[in-house]
Amino acid sequence: MREGRTIEVRSPRDGRVVATFPLSGSSEVATAVATARAAAAVWASRSVLRRVEALIRLARVLEVEADEVADAIISETGKPRAEALAEVAVSVELLRYYHRYAPRHLSPRRVGTGWMFWKKAWVERVPLGVVGVITPWNYPLIIGMDAVAAALAGGNGVVVKPSELTPVTASLLPDLCARAGLPQGLVQVVTGDGSTGEALVRSDVDKVSFTGSTAVGRKVMAVAAETLTPVSLELGGKDVAIVLEDADLARAVKGIAFGGFFNAGQTCISIERVYVVDAVAAEFTRRLAEEASALRYGVADDVDVGPMISAVQFERVSAHLRDAVAKGAEVVAGGVPEADSPPGEGDRALAPTIVTRVDETMEIFHEETFGPVLAVTAVRDEEEAIRWASASAYGLFASVWTENRRRGVDVGRRLRTGGVCVNESLAHAGIGGLPLGGVGDSGFGSRRGLEGLTEMTRPRAFLADRAGLSREPWWFPYDERVERLTRSVLALRARGGLSGLVVAARRLLGR
Ligand code: NAD
């Protein structure tokens, strides 16, 4: 029994205990799911318009409470204030997007009935019930909000299980939702570690929306398979930036540094690998190293690059760097923390680091590093860049840097990723209508956008008879008339037009 146990949340800035939360076991999880289900029954009966009105009220509450929410984010992640506020702004943007577009997307859709012209057919999108949302630590507000906003717009209840490292922000959600006038109990939060997450997957939720590592994503899917619970898996990444010879280097350098170092590189869609064509490689690398060296890193509100979330994460990134250097990589900006000298509390920020001469033998080449590290490799041309970009099991996002936008799009289309930016990095996450999801080891399914909303509902197909005949021509008993009708329909559908109509009429009459 795990009941009675707790988890401690510590500040990555100075190690002090920020809060203590219960470690929920399966009975607490079951209670949370049941409570959300009861509230969801009422919520689902409301029109979509009424539901999204509540979402816009939630956006307003977030606007008003932006600093309080940012304080919560900072307390458990240590990220700079600008990045914490960005989470609030992106959440508001998403809520506004669903407010505007969910009603049309979720309204019933008429479907043509083909030759059965005396019927009426349509598809409705109906709620799933209760969605279990399991989130990682890197964006304590926005990743949960992605799923919560879509689930609520779709008419569901939600049970959120935040990372054990960052439950503070998520724990504000029920109160924020109550202030926005959402029904009591509709949004539940259960706190705990992986065992709580597993209990949520094993509970009777109607869907699991999981965001986290690929290794845990596999476990979640295996457990969900036992009950055939649908899952969406938003997993790790090893995103690529391709810099072509005609790129605006000033923009590419700043944009790639931002894409690699935002949130100290602890972002699924962080740029981790850069392939730059030979013609501009030396100049680009020199400027990128300068840019990285000029960034302020540390544990304060006003730095550019904040601390690693945990000692484990610090060590993971450091180990990737040590492995790379031992195998011949060169560090051209930043540094490599020594082994066996873990940083003290308050010293967990890593210098933004650029490495070159990276090859396939290195961990940094294949594995997600999830830190402020960019591996830059010179390539002959765009073909070689595309080849290297594709040499990863992950496929989340990518960016292409070129003055020729059309060329950037063409290169982007050849990459196996869930999305592509041209001359841009990370900004797609600020656009509520763009889906975010990956392929391969990056998982499947989408958050955000209409695609994310679709995933929080299921289709219900309707067919209604309009003619009221005493019987349909294909009903029992089978006889020659049924066969004639079938042949007639086949001719009509295969040929179409007037000639199809004539042949169909002849067959119907048995000629
Ligand atoms: P993680 O996989 O260790 O944990 C994620 C969540 O799963 C946590 O809440 C954890 O408690 C829970 N969990 C752990 N074991 C579980 C189990 N057996 N069953 C159910 N739940 C379980 O990931 P993390 O270290 O918190 O986050 C970092 C990872 O998340 C990185 O790999 C990153 O790329 C990924 N991520 C992906 C996206 C995306 O959209 N693709 C976004 C953000 C982060």
Side-chain angles (χ1 to χ4, degrees):
M1 288 293 281
R2 316 196 72 96
E3 273 72 10
R5 290 179 53 195
T6 55
I7 49 172
E8 255 180 10
V9 183
R10 286 177 180 271
S11 161
R13 286 194 183 172
D14 54 19
R16 100 198 123 83
V17 175
V18 172
T20 304
F21 286 89
L23 192 152
S24 307
S26 41
S27 61
E28 288 95 338
V29 169
T31 305
V33 175
T35 308
R37 194 175 295 291
V42 178
W43 181 243
S45 68
R46 293 194 186 164
S47 70
V48 185
L49 275 176
R50 273 193 72 195
R51 296 201 300 251
V52 297
E53 279 310 317
L55 291 193
I56 207 72
R57 288 196 301 273
L58 180 57
R60 288 194 196 111
V61 172
L62 279 174
E63 283 160 16
V64 172
E65 300 300 339
D67 273 301
E68 187 192 308
V69 176
D71 285 343
I73 296 173
I74 292 166
S75 75
E76 57 187 354
T77 62
K79 62 178 73 179
R81 182 159 292 268
E83 293 179 353
L85 282 169
E87 278 204 57
V88 183
V90 170
S91 299
V92 165
E93 196 60 29
L94 186 71
L95 289 163
R96 291 194 170 278
Y97 177 81
Y98 283 141
H99 173 253
R100 176 136 188 224
Y101 293 101
R104 191 161 9 127
H105 186 64
L106 295 179
S107 55
R109 175 171 54 89
R110 276 293 288 271
V111 172
T113 53
W115 60 275
M116 285 192 238
F117 54 84
W118 62 102
K119 311 288 179 192
K120 181 178 174 187
W122 70 99
V123 181
E124 294 179 357
R125 302 233 45 113
V126 295
L128 300 171
V130 176
V131 179
V133 176
I134 301 175
T135 59
W137 45 260
N138 55 344
Y139 291 92
L141 179 67
I142 184 60
I143 292 180
M145 187 60 78
D146 283 351
V148 169
L152 293 178
N156 303 283
V158 190
V159 178
V160 181
K161 204 304 274 176
S163 164
E164 54 273 39
L165 299 180
T166 56
V168 176
T169 310
S171 70
L172 302 177
L173 275 177
D175 181 51
L176 293 168
C177 289
R179 287 168 62 186
L182 281 119
Q184 204 69 33
L186 188 64
V187 176
Q188 296 282 309
V189 176
V190 288
T191 52
D193 59 14
S195 65
T196 311
E198 184 174 339
L200 186 56
V201 181
R202 289 194 186 280
S203 73
D204 68 339
V205 287
D206 302 279
K207 173 174 177 129
V208 173
S209 165
F210 174 82
T211 307
S213 62
T214 304
V216 175
R218 287 200 169 93
K219 290 188 199 167
V220 166
M221 191 166 167
V223 171
E226 291 173 23
T227 47
L228 292 183
T229 304
V231 292
S232 66
L233 300 178
E234 308 291 341
L235 310 177
K238 191 79 193 165
D239 286 6
V240 157
I242 294 179
V243 184
L244 300 176
E245 68 284 354
D246 61 353
D248 171 348
L249 283 195
R251 183 173 174 83
V253 163
K254 291 233 172 254
I256 290 172
F258 184 71
F261 301 141
F262 186 83
N263 208 34
Q266 302 169 114
T267 305
C268 54
I269 46 174
S270 278
I271 300 173
E272 297 209 355
R273 301 178 289 156
V274 185
Y275 294 107
V276 49
V277 295
D278 277 332
V280 291
E283 176 67 3
F284 170 82
T285 310
R286 186 185 62 73
R287 290 211 219 170
L288 186 65
E290 264 175 31
E291 176 74 15
S293 304
L295 296 176
R296 299 159 302 162
Y297 67 98
V299 290
D301 257 5
D302 59 354
V303 294
D304 302 310
V305 180
M308 297 287 92
I309 187 80
S310 64
V312 171
Q313 191 58 25
F314 186 98
E315 176 49 27
R316 174 175 156 185
V317 179
S318 308
H320 272 197
L321 284 169
R322 285 196 296 272
D323 171 75
V325 169
K327 291 173 180 162
E330 186 184 350
V331 174
V332 297
V336 185
E338 283 175 16
D340 307 323
S341 62
E345 300 293 2
D347 195 17
R348 217 188 276 149
L350 275 163
T353 299
I354 311 288
V355 288
T356 58
R357 294 213 234 121
V358 169
D359 66 39
E360 307 103 290
T361 64
M362 303 171 186
E363 287 166 0
I364 211 167
F365 181 92
H366 300 281
E367 292 171 23
E368 185 181 43
T369 304
F370 227 55
V373 179
L374 283 166
V376 181
T377 305
V379 291
R380 209 170 36 251
D381 52 19
E382 90 183 31
E383 290 304 318
E384 192 182 355
I386 292 169
R387 230 180 8 261
W388 281 123
S390 312
S392 171
Y394 293 111
L396 208 47
F397 243 81
S399 59
V400 186
W401 302 80
T402 164
E403 293 255 68
N404 181 340
R405 200 170 63 223
R406 177 180 287 253
R407 184 180 176 202
V409 171
D410 285 345
V411 170
R413 288 196 175 123
R414 296 176 61 192
L415 301 174
R416 181 176 164 271
T417 61
V420 180
C421 284
V422 178
N423 298 325
E424 192 46 279
S425 58
L426 300 188
H428 56 88
I431 296 175
L434 279 177
L436 204 167
V439 297
D441 280 4
S442 294
F444 55 82
S446 298
R447 299 205 316 261
R448 330 176 117 245
L450 296 181
E451 291 76 4
L453 182 56
T454 303
E455 288 197 12
M456 292 298 184
T457 58
R458 63 182 174 81
R460 179 154 55 204
F462 272 97
L463 178 67
D465 177 60
R466 289 191 293 196
L469 305 172
S470 59
R471 53 162 294 181
E472 295 297 341
W474 54 84
W475 285 357
F476 298 135
Y478 293 144
D479 57 19
E480 189 213 347
R481 279 174 318 121
V482 176
E483 211 173 294
R484 281 207 309 262
L485 174 75
T486 311
R487 289 185 194 289
S488 155
V489 169
L490 274 171
L492 186 68
R493 304 312 282 166
R495 289 169 193 246
L498 193 58
S499 78
L501 212 56
V502 171
V503 177
R506 277 208 202 118
R507 292 204 177 151
L508 197 57
L509 297 170
R511 291 189 206 143

